[in-house]
Amino acid sequence: MKPLALIIVVGILFGIATLILSSSGESILGSFPPLKALVNKNKNANKKIETSNIFRTIDEGEVWFPQSNTISADTKIGNIGVLDIALDVVDSNIGYVGTASNGLYKTINNGQNWEKLFDRNQVLLPNAGVLRVVQDTRKPDNIYLAAYQNERGVFLKSTDKGLSFIQTYIAEYDKYAVSAITVDPKNSNVIYIGTTQGGFFKSSDYGSSWEVIEWITGSISEIVINNRNTNEIYVATSDRGLFRTEDGGKKWKNFAKEISKAAASNQVKSIQIDPTNANILYLGVTNGLLKSLDRGESWKFLEMLIPPTNLPIDSVKVDPTDRNNVYVGVKDLIYKSEDGGTNWSVKRIILPTKEKRISVITIDTKEPQSVYLGIR
């Protein structure tokens, strides 16, 4: 090749290379799908992944995706600590989210959009901590909140699905929250609440008035009722283990000794009753997951895939439609067993920060393949 021709060819090749490497070169590469894919991949390589404090799966945990992050122009779900998620008992497209210090939120389209609920009565404060959201399955307009505002725990009741609230209980002392609520599944006029001071209270008139049932020696974290025998109630505490009454609260059994034989902790984060066999219990404690086959009289420590550095267990949920499906949240990992806790699979959730943890697991009872995670 003659020197002049060689110079011309080199110049042409150099010009093409420069064009490809420049930002304007994207329009040329874009006309070739394989090259366009490479360009887009490189463009997005350093793009920050947008995450959320609410995740959902629609295939029983195979794939988890963040729910809509933006609430308003200046507020994102990723900036709000989620304490509870409750799905409407009539229409599970509707959901309620209790937050650590931002009140109550609602979705009407499976979490695609969220709206903050502002109480018409101005009883529920915009900066309230909403620890539990419970809906009456027989009177679905009734929604109950275990909340903390103005440095005191309160029980709030709505009869119009959260448009307005009234307050029917307030803690006697500052710094103590109402931390747990459960509604009797057979008689929904009966409601139980628990406080971080250890108060276990009962209402027989849909939460309008209260009576003291027992002062538990521990900060109450959760209350669950045996669906077949509603006089049998378990009360979990975050510092003193597990308690049970079989007569509606007259006599109590403390399971501290039984739990100590299987685990080195009496700090109970979560308790679940098998939906088809009330003899079977699951207990999430600070150093692992326990299972009982005899209503708490003995416990087995379930071997899981959890590194000790990720403990404690933060949340446990048994599928109400399939007793073999058990979900456990630990830090940024969601574990699932399909055989009642013998074998486990694990998925990692991309959380907003390293300090965040999976605080709540909610299963859609109408479509159990749909599961929500709340992050705090």
Side-chain angles (χ1 to χ4, degrees):
M1 183 178 291
K2 295 182 179 180
L4 180 59
L6 180 62
I7 292 173
I8 293 173
V9 170
V10 170
I12 292 173
L13 293 175
F14 180 79
I16 293 174
T18 302
L19 185 60
I20 291 175
L21 293 175
S22 70
S23 60
S24 62
E26 181 185 337
S27 61
I28 293 179
L29 293 178
S31 63
F32 300 93
L35 295 179
K36 182 178 180 180
L38 288 174
V39 170
N40 289 336
K41 182 178 180 181
N42 290 333
K43 278 181 63 183
N44 296 327
N46 296 320
K47 186 178 179 179
K48 185 178 179 181
I49 298 174
E50 185 168 340
T51 185
S52 173
N53 271 356
I54 301 176
F55 283 77
R56 185 186 178 204
T57 179
I58 56 175
D59 55 13
E60 295 185 317
E62 289 298 317
V63 178
W64 296 89
F65 54 88
Q67 291 291 89
S68 175
N69 195 22
T70 302
I71 299 173
S72 61
D74 57 352
T75 306
K76 292 182 178 293
I77 285 280
N79 298 328
I80 295 175
V82 174
L83 300 182
D84 199 16
I85 301 173
L87 301 180
D88 190 275
V89 297
V90 177
D91 181 0
S92 58
N93 291 308
I94 299 172
Y96 301 88
V97 167
T99 71
S101 58
N102 292 87
L104 183 67
Y105 286 81
K106 181 179 181 179
T107 180
I108 59 173
N109 55 10
N110 280 320
Q112 296 178 47
N113 302 98
W114 295 92
E115 177 186 3
K116 186 165 184 174
L117 294 184
F118 291 95
D119 178 11
R120 291 175 180 174
N121 294 339
Q122 299 183 348
V123 173
L124 171 64
L125 300 183
N127 63 347
V130 179
L131 287 77
R132 293 288 184 271
V133 184
V134 176
Q135 186 180 28
D136 186 336
T137 58
R138 297 175 183 269
K139 291 190 173 185
D141 285 345
N142 288 2
I143 293 178
Y144 309 114
L145 304 183
Y148 182 80
Q149 56 186 27
N150 286 333
E151 297 190 337
R152 288 198 182 187
V154 294
F155 173 87
L156 304 181
K157 172 184 176 179
S158 172
T159 57
D160 52 20
K161 285 196 172 183
L163 295 178
S164 60
F165 286 90
I166 59 172
Q167 176 181 292
T168 65
Y169 171 81
I170 183 170
E172 183 179 0
Y173 297 105
D174 289 352
K175 309 302 182 183
Y176 290 105
V178 176
S179 49
I181 302 176
T182 193
V183 178
D184 188 307
K186 293 184 178 179
N187 303 292
S188 66
N189 59 296
V190 176
I191 304 171
Y192 298 95
I193 62 173
T195 73
T196 55
Q197 194 179 6
F200 179 71
F201 308 135
K202 177 183 178 180
S203 172
S204 299
D205 53 12
Y206 298 96
S208 295
S209 61
W210 298 91
E211 62 175 313
V212 178
I213 299 299
E214 185 72 13
W215 285 98
I216 302 291
T217 57
S219 175
I220 296 175
S221 56
E222 196 163 5
I223 303 168
V224 295
I225 299 177
N226 179 350
N227 289 337
R228 288 175 170 77
N229 175 13
T230 58
N231 283 322
E232 184 172 278
I233 306 169
Y234 292 87
V235 175
T237 70
S238 60
D239 50 3
R240 294 296 180 89
L242 180 68
F243 298 81
R244 183 187 70 203
T245 178
E246 299 180 47
D247 54 14
K250 296 177 182 178
K251 296 180 181 179
W252 292 85
K253 177 176 175 60
N254 185 344
F255 288 97
K257 292 182 179 179
E258 289 81 359
I259 292 173
S260 65
K261 294 177 181 179
S265 173
N266 261 325
Q267 298 179 11
V268 180
K269 303 287 288 186
S270 183
I271 177 175
Q272 289 282 289
I273 300 179
D274 186 299
T276 59
N277 185 349
N279 292 323
I280 301 176
L281 307 174
Y282 292 89
L283 211 62
V285 296
T286 54
N287 66 323
L289 182 66
L290 305 181
K291 183 177 182 178
S292 173
L293 303 177
D294 52 14
R295 300 170 59 244
E297 298 301 326
S298 62
W299 297 88
K300 176 184 177 182
F301 192 91
L302 295 183
E303 296 297 335
M304 295 182 62
L305 309 173
I306 304 173
T309 54
N310 280 357
L311 290 168
I313 283 179
D314 298 288
S315 47
V316 180
K317 195 70 176 181
V318 178
D319 187 339
T321 66
D322 186 345
R323 58 183 286 189
N324 291 314
N325 289 341
V326 183
Y327 295 88
V328 176
V330 184
K331 201 174 180 180
D332 61 348
L333 302 174
I334 182 73
Y335 295 83
K336 182 186 178 184
S337 173
E338 297 181 358
D339 55 14
T342 301
N343 297 288
W344 298 87
S345 61
V346 59
K347 302 284 185 180
R348 181 170 178 259
I349 308 298
I350 306 300
L351 302 187
T353 66
K354 293 181 179 180
E355 293 75 23
K356 296 281 188 177
R357 304 182 71 94
I358 299 170
S359 57
V360 61
I361 304 168
T362 299
I363 298 175
D364 186 340
T365 56
K366 295 185 177 350
E367 298 181 5
Q369 69 274 14
S370 174
V371 184
Y372 290 80
L373 304 180
I375 313 301
R376 183 183 183 183

